[in-house]
Amino acid sequence: MTLVADPQAPVAERGLRHRHPLWLALIATLSASAYALLGLFRLATYRASTFDLVIVDQAVRNYAHFRPPYIPVVGAFHGRGLDYLQMADHFSPIYALLAPFYWIHDGPGSLIVAQALLFAAAIPFIWLFTRRVLGTVPAYLVALAYALSWPVAQAIAFDAHEVMFVPVLTAIMIERYHAERHLPAFAAMFGLLLVKEDMGLMVIGFGLYLFVIGDRYRGVCAAAIGFGGALLTRGALIPMLGGDHNDFWAYGQLGPDVPGALLAVARDPLGALLLPFSAEAKVDTLFLLVWPTLLLCLLSPLSLMALPHVLERMLSDREPWWQADFQYSAFTVVILLLAGVDGLARLIRWTKRTELKLAWSVAVCAIALTLVPRFALDQLYHPSFYKGDEVKSAAAREAVAKVPSGVQVEAVNSLGPALTARTTVLLWTGEPHGSPWVVADTSRWEFPFGSAEDQAGQVNRLLSEGYAKVFERDGIVVLHK
């Protein structure tokens, strides 16, 4: 075996043939239901956002209708035309797999349900791996810790993103490799390359892990595939499809490009080494990533798989990438959790303290529970969450009803998701796009404006340019030209 296993543990697959499938199905179903509930209520109460829910919705809807995955909302935002392809923005052809959900229900709610199911789908593989290494009871506790984990909570609370595919793919890759079922493990690895242009870095990390544990041939091959995948998508495919490679450069503090950044690191290696710890938000996020395993993930070479993606975030000059508030930590949550399982197994081997299995597993589950009130799952047990802002919701319902189907509309960030199923939604930014309909908000700040006052000023400008006000209530305004 390539990882430390418990020789006394029964074979996990044998247990799955008995009562465990029912318990695992229950855990996964309850988890998916909670995730979907959170997302669907946010959508119903106008707390979802055009950036990014409408972006993904437009791409998947086009796939569902056998059209190229145009995302006019991003094309208009960047001034690149309404026929801008999703794969030019982020290379995520894997979104095509979600098209059947739109054959059942054509709307962004389908994305939320699909995302919930995909996040929950990682649970059986996490259970299998942990059962094989630590035993049955720890396997259930670790699976629950993942289901309650803060990175998953933050991802499901912020619309829908390509990260929905990563936990299940990384869980399959790690668990199947550990079970010496290499074909599905490497199939999942190739699947990662279809999720996003930077997943080649994660595949490089997987190759590094394989090399360190002694599987050098496969490790070198995996690293080469990851490097080639990243180079191909960023250097060739995205520019060929109409994207700009400069969109992905977020390391201006190191240099203007990759050679400049490497030169800066060579000149000041200590400064580069300290850069991931240069801001409080970075340190907080790094600690939150490793603390749920009681730091034991750091004892496992499996953590090497997460390292490139974590460095990609922490070396960047884009502050949202550092923070724990968004979806980025969900890319590595399964890797670090299973690295914690392996780290504990290594610690037990060194210390001969087998009683640590249950103690650690209970602690990991308890930590996940204690972090729930700090993150998005906390909303589920507060009645106010299900009501939302009732004043805004009432006004929003009336406003979106004024916009006819089949038209192009520029909508304020929070109202685009309510219109995307039946109109072509662009983000209202104040820049003219010639849309006959505009849905604005003058009382609450919305991305990408600087203030609500700026939004009110833009509405006045539109009125002076010939738009007529057809609806206004509680700051929400519908304009038509």
Side-chain angles (χ1 to χ4, degrees):
M1 286 295 179
T2 55
L3 294 180
V4 179
D6 178 9
Q8 303 301 318
V11 177
E13 288 81 357
R14 187 181 305 162
L16 275 177
R17 287 197 295 268
H18 300 294
R19 64 186 179 280
H20 298 303
L22 295 177
W23 288 110
L24 284 174
L26 179 62
I27 294 171
T29 300
L30 290 176
S31 300
S33 299
Y35 303 157
L37 188 68
L38 181 62
L40 291 173
F41 264 91
R42 286 179 56 84
L43 176 64
T45 52
Y46 304 94
R47 283 174 282 181
S49 58
T50 299
F51 271 37
D52 296 311
L53 187 57
V54 170
I55 297 173
V56 184
D57 172 80
Q58 290 178 342
V60 176
R61 176 173 292 104
N62 278 310
Y63 277 127
H65 289 85
F66 304 100
R67 297 190 295 256
Y70 297 124
I71 46 172
V73 64
V74 176
F77 185 79
H78 290 303
R80 297 173 186 170
L82 302 189
D83 57 352
Y84 188 62
L85 290 168
Q86 188 280 322
M87 287 183 288
D89 183 48
H90 288 299
F91 188 76
S92 306
I94 199 168
Y95 277 139
L97 296 179
L98 302 182
F101 285 89
Y102 274 60
W103 301 338
I104 300 170
H105 172 73
D106 188 353
S110 295
L111 287 178
I112 292 169
V113 172
Q115 177 170 262
L117 293 171
L118 284 166
F119 274 122
I123 289 172
F125 297 97
I126 292 169
W127 185 92
L128 277 168
F129 179 91
T130 309
R131 170 91 187 282
R132 192 180 298 117
V133 175
L134 300 179
T136 301
V137 174
Y140 281 110
L141 292 170
V142 171
L144 286 171
Y146 164 79
L148 296 169
S149 64
W150 70 265
V152 172
Q154 294 309 103
I156 61 172
F158 186 46
D159 298 332
H161 299 87
E162 65 282 327
V163 70
M164 71 176 81
F165 295 96
V166 176
V168 66
L169 287 174
T170 52
I172 292 171
M173 183 166 59
I174 295 167
E175 188 279 323
R176 289 290 83 191
Y177 180 82
H178 181 247
E180 298 183 347
R181 300 292 189 267
H182 295 148
L183 181 59
F186 286 97
M189 183 192 78
F190 278 101
L192 280 175
L193 297 176
L194 303 178
V195 172
K196 197 178 179 185
E197 65 281 348
D198 62 352
M199 287 295 95
L201 297 178
M202 191 172 287
V203 174
I204 291 172
F206 184 57
L208 180 59
Y209 156 69
L210 296 182
F211 189 88
V212 167
I213 64 173
D215 194 351
R216 291 183 173 83
Y217 175 73
R218 291 190 182 94
V220 170
C221 289
I225 290 168
F227 179 78
L231 193 64
L232 177 65
T233 52
R234 285 187 167 179
L237 293 178
I238 287 176
M240 181 182 71
L241 294 169
D244 187 341
H245 68 276
N246 291 322
D247 292 343
F248 303 101
W249 187 251
Y251 308 93
Q253 55 194 333
L254 293 175
D257 48 30
V258 173
L262 293 175
L263 184 60
V265 171
R267 287 174 176 169
D268 185 14
L270 181 60
L273 188 65
L274 294 176
L275 193 55
F277 310 97
S278 60
E280 184 178 353
K282 294 182 180 181
V283 176
D284 288 345
T285 299
L286 288 171
F287 178 75
L288 282 168
L289 285 172
V290 298
W291 171 240
T293 67
L294 292 175
L295 311 186
L296 290 191
C297 61
L298 302 178
L299 296 181
S300 172
L302 187 54
S303 291
L304 293 171
M305 186 178 168
L307 183 62
H309 190 269
V310 172
L311 288 177
E312 180 189 29
R313 296 174 61 190
M314 299 303 160
L315 293 175
S316 76
D317 49 24
R318 296 183 184 177
E319 189 172 348
W321 289 13
W322 316 336
Q323 297 173 354
D325 296 334
F326 301 104
Q327 76 275 15
Y328 304 108
S329 295
F331 282 96
T332 53
V333 60
V334 167
I335 300 170
L336 294 175
L337 185 59
L338 297 185
V341 171
D342 182 50
L344 174 67
R346 292 171 185 274
L347 182 63
I348 291 172
R349 185 182 64 179
W350 299 332
T351 63
K352 311 299 183 184
R353 301 287 298 274
T354 57
E355 66 273 15
L356 291 175
K357 292 179 190 177
L358 185 59
W360 179 83
S361 303
V362 170
V364 164
C365 195
I367 290 171
L369 280 169
T370 60
L371 289 175
V372 166
R374 180 172 171 179
F375 294 99
L377 288 178
D378 173 71
Q379 300 171 81
L380 289 175
Y381 50 81
H382 291 291
S384 59
F385 166 73
Y386 301 96
K387 298 178 182 178
D389 184 337
E390 294 179 328
V391 173
K392 177 185 176 180
S393 294
R397 278 192 295 271
E398 289 189 52
V400 299
K402 298 293 183 183
V403 180
S405 299
V407 301
Q408 178 177 302
V409 54
E410 294 171 43
V412 68
N413 192 41
S414 63
L415 298 189
L419 289 160
T420 185
R422 59 184 183 84
T423 66
T424 299
V425 172
L426 309 183
L427 181 65
W428 180 52
T429 64
E431 296 294 326
H433 296 297
S435 301
W437 292 87
V438 175
V439 181
D441 193 333
T442 61
S443 63
R444 309 163 188 85
W445 172 82
E446 294 266 8
F447 172 82
F449 292 93
S451 66
E453 290 74 20
D454 291 342
Q455 295 158 215
Q458 289 297 330
V459 167
N460 291 332
R461 180 185 64 80
L462 290 170
L463 290 171
S464 70
E465 292 176 357
Y467 281 84
K469 190 181 297 184
V470 298
F471 174 83
E472 181 174 15
R473 177 178 170 185
D474 295 309
I476 297 178
V477 181
V478 179
L479 305 172
H480 177 54
K481 184 177 182 180

